[in-house]
Amino acid sequence: MKEFIIIGAGQSGLAMAYNLSKNSKDYLILDANEHIGAPWLKRWDSLKLFTPTEYNHLPGMPFPFPKGYYPNKYEVADYLKSYVEKFSMPIEFNQRITSVKKVDGIFEIISGTASYQAKQLIIATGPFHTPYTPACHVDIADNITQLHSENYKSPEQLQEGDCLVVGAGDSGVQILSEIADTGRKVHFSGTDKITAIPQSFLGKTLWWWFTKIGFLSVTRFSKMGKWLSKGVQPVIGTDVKSLLAKTNVIHMGRTLSADETSIKFQKGSISSIKNIIWATGFKPNFFWIEDISFDEMNYPSNYRGVSKDVDGLYFIGLPWLYTRGSATLGGVWKDAKYLMTHIQGNK
């Protein structure tokens, strides 16, 4: 039995592991993937962070690139791997946890192949669990290529013919831009009332401005934080107005329905689409944890990562766990530090 088990070896789990190591705690990390950085490497090939190097540091090890540089997904994965190696963090891979319950004061943690016990448990599985695709996708003809953004890599995956990108968030807009740059006709489904902000302004990065005005430190419990956390997040770094003005990008409005021959939108029906990218987000899944309650977004009830239902159970890496930066590579350390302080006070 371990004193602590961390489920998830992404940036939030590693930030928590760093704090446990520094406080000489006995712990183990369990991760569903085959190696460190796998979730990053699964994403599309051209993906880059919105945050420059100076805002990507995990505790105890700076991100190894010059100030102002925007790392790609491969560099993030390499950084996480180096981080684990530097601090000799104990991890067991290929352990997808299917059940957690607390029995007689001990957490019993079950995967498909093993079982574990811990006195305290930290859930660091992040916010992106189950890809969401609108129900009408099952009505679309089998000869149309359909990919969720989780599985999209590059335009080379697509067959000849028109494409449809559904989703007006960062992923949808970036993928739409990449496919449009190939010259292919791309239909876009989603709102065209997208708030877009540049990555730099007046010679300073967006994140420099966010830091100066205190945007990243606004808490979810403040009046401003409540408003920001419930609003639609802006698209960062893409000139959406110019993108939607391209002659090969056709805005169709919201997707309404589909059948074997066509897809119906607010602005009409189309039968020429051969490829669809569903950049429609993810749904959280924490239902494998027994005896916890959930908020309106189906995230576990907690205060700053401390479970409101089960003693010794903690969460880290969730959007707006405490601030706008809680789920970011360079912001998660603050939540990890808070949880460590809480844990130490509960000896």
Side-chain angles (χ1 to χ4, degrees):
M1 181 172 65
K2 291 292 181 180
E3 185 178 4
F4 291 88
I5 281 181
I6 300 170
I7 301 177
Q11 63 247 26
S12 55
L14 300 186
M16 200 65 228
Y18 171 86
N19 280 273
L20 293 175
S21 293
K22 289 300 179 182
N23 287 278
S24 302
K25 301 297 185 182
D26 175 43
Y27 74 92
L28 174 66
I29 306 173
L30 303 176
D31 193 79
N33 299 287
E34 295 182 354
H35 55 79
I36 289 294
W40 285 95
L41 296 177
K42 289 176 183 176
R43 309 206 55 194
W44 67 91
D45 294 343
S46 62
L47 176 67
K48 288 189 175 184
L49 293 186
F50 299 130
T51 49
T53 292
E54 60 269 31
Y55 297 98
N56 297 327
H57 306 314
L58 286 175
M61 180 178 164
F63 202 95
F65 287 91
K67 182 179 179 180
Y69 178 77
Y70 291 88
N72 62 41
K73 69 173 188 177
Y74 305 101
E75 292 160 340
V76 175
D78 286 344
Y79 172 62
L80 297 180
K81 181 180 178 181
S82 297
Y83 193 81
V84 168
E85 292 172 349
K86 178 175 181 176
F87 297 110
S88 301
M89 294 175 172
I91 303 176
E92 289 192 17
F93 293 105
N94 298 307
Q95 295 299 327
R96 183 173 298 280
I97 305 306
T98 57
S99 172
V100 165
K101 60 182 177 180
K102 194 173 185 182
V103 180
D104 297 328
I106 301 299
F107 287 98
E108 296 185 354
I109 303 143
I110 308 298
S111 76
T113 58
S115 61
Y116 305 86
Q117 290 185 321
K119 295 178 181 178
Q120 301 189 68
L121 179 63
I122 301 161
I123 308 296
T125 53
F128 304 128
H129 301 145
T130 306
Y132 169 72
T133 306
C136 67
H137 83 277
V138 300
D139 300 319
I140 295 170
D142 291 340
N143 62 352
I144 295 176
T145 297
Q146 296 191 63
L147 296 170
H148 189 273
S149 57
E150 180 186 44
N151 301 311
Y152 171 81
K153 296 291 186 181
S154 74
E156 281 68 40
Q157 290 173 285
L158 308 179
Q159 61 178 318
E160 291 295 323
D162 294 357
C163 186
L164 167 67
V165 176
V166 184
D170 273 309
S171 297
V173 167
Q174 286 191 36
I175 292 170
L176 175 67
S177 179
E178 178 173 84
I179 296 174
D181 283 346
T182 68
R184 184 193 298 258
K185 182 184 286 187
V186 192
H187 297 87
F188 168 58
S189 176
T191 180
D192 59 351
K193 307 298 182 184
I194 302 171
T195 301
I197 49 181
Q199 285 185 308
S200 61
F201 179 69
L202 296 178
K204 299 290 186 179
T205 70
L206 175 66
W207 298 93
W208 185 91
W209 288 106
F210 279 173
T211 302
K212 285 296 181 183
I213 66 177
F215 176 75
L216 297 180
S217 58
V218 171
T219 77
R220 65 176 296 183
F221 306 105
S222 67
K223 187 174 181 180
M224 178 63 75
K226 289 177 181 178
W227 179 74
L228 288 170
S229 63
K230 288 179 171 55
V232 177
Q233 299 301 310
V235 167
I236 299 174
T238 300
D239 185 347
V240 176
K241 185 177 180 180
S242 296
L243 173 61
L244 296 183
K246 289 186 174 183
T247 56
N248 62 322
V249 175
I250 301 96
H251 179 244
M252 300 303 301
R254 189 163 58 90
T255 304
L256 300 178
S257 61
D259 57 34
E260 289 284 329
T261 59
S262 65
I263 302 173
K264 185 179 180 181
F265 305 91
Q266 286 176 313
K267 297 185 178 182
S269 297
I270 301 174
S271 57
S272 63
I273 292 170
K274 298 299 181 184
N275 307 275
I276 304 174
I277 309 298
W278 298 102
T280 42
F282 297 78
K283 299 291 185 182
N285 177 13
F286 293 93
F287 299 105
W288 42 276
I289 306 171
E290 291 191 11
D291 299 322
I292 63 171
S293 59
F294 299 89
D295 64 19
E296 67 277 7
M297 299 298 290
N298 278 329
Y299 291 119
S301 300
N302 72 89
Y303 176 76
R304 297 194 67 175
V306 180
S307 174
K308 292 184 177 181
D309 304 298
V310 182
D311 289 341
L313 178 63
Y314 308 98
F315 301 91
I316 190 168
L318 300 181
W320 282 96
L321 185 71
Y322 189 55
T323 69
R324 171 66 177 81
S326 284
T328 64
L329 183 59
V332 70
W333 68 270
K334 294 180 181 179
D335 292 323
K337 183 178 180 181
Y338 174 84
L339 285 180
M340 193 71 248
T341 300
H342 177 89
I343 289 168
Q344 292 287 67
N346 278 0
K347 287 181 180 178

